[in-house]
Amino acid sequence: MLGENKVIFSGVQPSGNLTIGNYLGAIRNFSAFSEEYRCFYCVVDLHAVTVRQVPAELRRRTYETLALYIACGLDPEKNTLFVQSHVPAHCELSWMLGCSTMFGELSRMTQFKDKSQKHADNINAGLFTYPVLMASDILLYQTDLVPVGIDQKQHLELARNIAIRFNHLMGDTFTVPDGYISKDGMKIMSLTEPTAKMSKSDPNKNAVVYILDPKDEILRKFRRAVTDSGSEVRYDEDRPGIANLMSIYRCFTGKEYDEIEREFDGRGYGDFKAAVGEACADALAPVQAEFSRLMADKGYLESVMKAGAETAARAAARTMSKVRRRLGFIDLK
Ligand code: TRP
């Protein structure tokens, strides 16, 4: 048995550059899940190589991403934290599920279309079958719930369809997962163009605050944040610049909008932007300190990876044995 608890699985690419949008909308809230769910958080290095990577950088960012997860509050004793390439079953299941996923389905994925435009010189087969690997990540652990950003909704829908089809053709094998799309994270917008989402790959670095940005950088970015005409700190969706800053301030301080309005009554945007910067930098300081401490201890990070991979592999093996039998492969004990 996987245990009575329901299962959560999420994957994050080893880009290292997570933003305060990722933090507030996702990672910060992940630690609470471990009370109720069996949680698997995976650094998806196999997904990362669908675009060209510099090996030394990929390796460093894989450590960094794991360290950042732990620094953001995910306790390796309570969550299974692991690296995708350390559990070969992900690739194995991916091949098997790929054989029941249609070319047409994969052709409709908007991320594939976007990425093939962006990397026109490297439209490789992995880029195309990326969603099958993602479905395998999820289905291997009989996942109930998948916390993801809204941009992954289409991939999640495909994972559900792959599971439903397999269950229908071969007999009940996979739990059909639900997505958990957090609302707060979607609300963190770019600092320079507050009608667009804050995106870690935005070429304009002033638009994005990264979890690992030093304090002076954070203060500077908020000071330069685009606000609307007007000078009152008042929540109004028609003034997306100030609304975004208020939403960020609210997330970091826990204060509600009316409270924030009172706090900054009669004070201008300048004061408020400085306060948002301070609140953000203060909240991130302990995360950054813990991150540095962990990055200085690769031995510890590797021990987490190892223990995580063992736990994950054990859970994955149960699903693989079922899948092998369903498909007609000989499952040697
Ligand atoms: N494709 C996801 C992204 O780019 C990462 C990912 C890979 C993932 N496997 C997953 C997310 C499984 C959730 C579940 O963000």
Side-chain angles (χ1 to χ4, degrees):
M1 277 297 289
L2 263 179
E4 292 111 63
N5 285 355
K6 294 207 164 193
V7 175
I8 283 189
F9 184 99
S10 195
V12 68
Q13 297 225 24
S15 77
N17 298 330
L18 294 174
T19 72
I20 57 168
N22 300 125
Y23 178 70
L24 296 172
I27 307 176
R28 183 173 76 156
N29 315 315
F30 282 179
S31 62
F33 288 140
S34 69
E35 304 301 326
E36 242 185 283
Y37 292 86
R38 184 148 186 231
C39 298
F40 294 87
Y41 297 110
C42 181
V43 182
V44 292
D45 55 350
L46 296 168
H47 278 106
V49 297
T50 53
V51 299
R52 264 181 220 117
Q53 299 286 339
V54 177
E57 280 176 21
L58 176 62
R59 194 152 35 236
R60 175 175 51 78
R61 287 199 303 261
T62 301
Y63 284 108
E64 283 179 358
T65 306
L66 183 75
L68 205 52
Y69 262 40
I70 302 172
C72 287
L74 286 180
D75 179 350
E77 302 289 325
K78 295 188 185 155
N79 301 273
T80 301
L81 308 179
F82 72 109
V83 176
Q84 190 183 29
S85 65
H86 293 161
V87 182
H90 290 249
C91 290
E92 206 181 346
L93 183 60
S94 185
W95 175 262
M96 297 178 190
L97 294 181
C99 296
S100 61
T101 307
M102 296 301 119
F103 186 88
E105 288 180 293
L106 293 173
S107 308
R108 283 194 291 278
M109 295 291 118
T110 55
Q111 187 172 306
F112 171 69
K113 293 189 223 169
D114 288 352
K115 283 201 182 172
S116 16
Q117 254 176 12
K118 253 201 240 159
H119 305 275
D121 58 336
N122 185 21
I123 307 177
N124 60 76
L127 198 61
F128 189 64
T129 56
Y130 177 115
V132 182
L133 180 59
M134 176 162 161
S136 305
D137 298 341
I138 297 167
L139 301 181
L140 257 184
Y141 301 96
Q142 306 292 349
T143 302
D144 295 283
L145 208 57
V146 186
V148 274
I150 186 94
D151 61 314
Q152 295 299 313
K153 208 173 161 196
Q154 196 185 28
H155 287 163
L156 192 72
E157 202 53 42
L158 180 67
R160 285 172 56 86
N161 288 338
I162 290 175
I164 292 168
R165 187 182 312 139
F166 193 101
N167 288 347
H168 179 70
L169 287 173
M170 299 295 169
D172 240 3
T173 309
F174 297 117
T175 302
V176 179
D178 283 313
Y180 175 87
I181 292 164
S182 151
K183 292 184 197 67
D184 267 352
M186 288 162 53
K187 276 200 234 130
I188 309 294
M189 309 304 263
S190 151
L191 295 190
T192 55
E193 205 186 315
T195 47
K197 194 184 139 188
M198 183 181 282
S199 155
K200 65 180 173 185
S201 50
D202 196 318
N204 181 355
K205 293 304 163 221
N206 291 322
V208 191
V209 179
Y210 294 100
I211 299 178
L212 297 175
D213 274 349
K215 180 167 184 173
D216 56 343
E217 189 104 329
I218 295 176
L219 295 179
R220 189 181 56 76
K221 286 178 180 176
F222 279 110
R223 216 181 308 121
R224 297 184 45 161
V226 167
T227 36
D228 327 78
S229 59
S231 58
E232 250 181 296
V233 178
R234 197 167 40 77
Y235 192 82
D236 176 355
E237 277 175 11
D238 293 332
R239 297 194 301 161
I242 200 72
N244 184 39
L245 294 180
M246 286 181 77
S247 149
I248 293 172
Y249 192 64
R250 174 175 162 271
C251 286
F252 278 120
T253 61
K255 294 175 187 168
E256 285 308 326
Y257 292 134
D258 53 346
E259 217 177 328
I260 302 171
E261 287 170 2
R262 264 180 275 126
E263 184 179 352
F264 291 93
D265 187 26
R267 295 158 70 185
Y269 281 175
D271 268 11
F272 178 57
K273 287 188 195 174
V276 183
E278 290 287 343
C280 173
D282 285 352
L284 294 180
V287 174
Q288 297 179 349
E290 180 65 0
F291 173 82
S292 304
R293 199 185 63 75
L294 290 163
M295 281 305 286
D297 192 352
K298 296 266 159 48
Y300 170 72
L301 290 175
E302 284 169 10
S303 73
V304 171
M305 289 177 190
K306 219 172 190 162
E310 276 167 20
T311 307
R314 237 178 291 123
R318 298 197 60 253
T319 300
M320 282 315 299
S321 157
K322 212 160 147 186
V323 171
R324 274 188 214 104
R325 280 180 282 123
R326 292 288 196 209
L327 286 175
F329 296 117
I330 296 167
D331 186 39
L332 286 179
K333 286 284 177 235

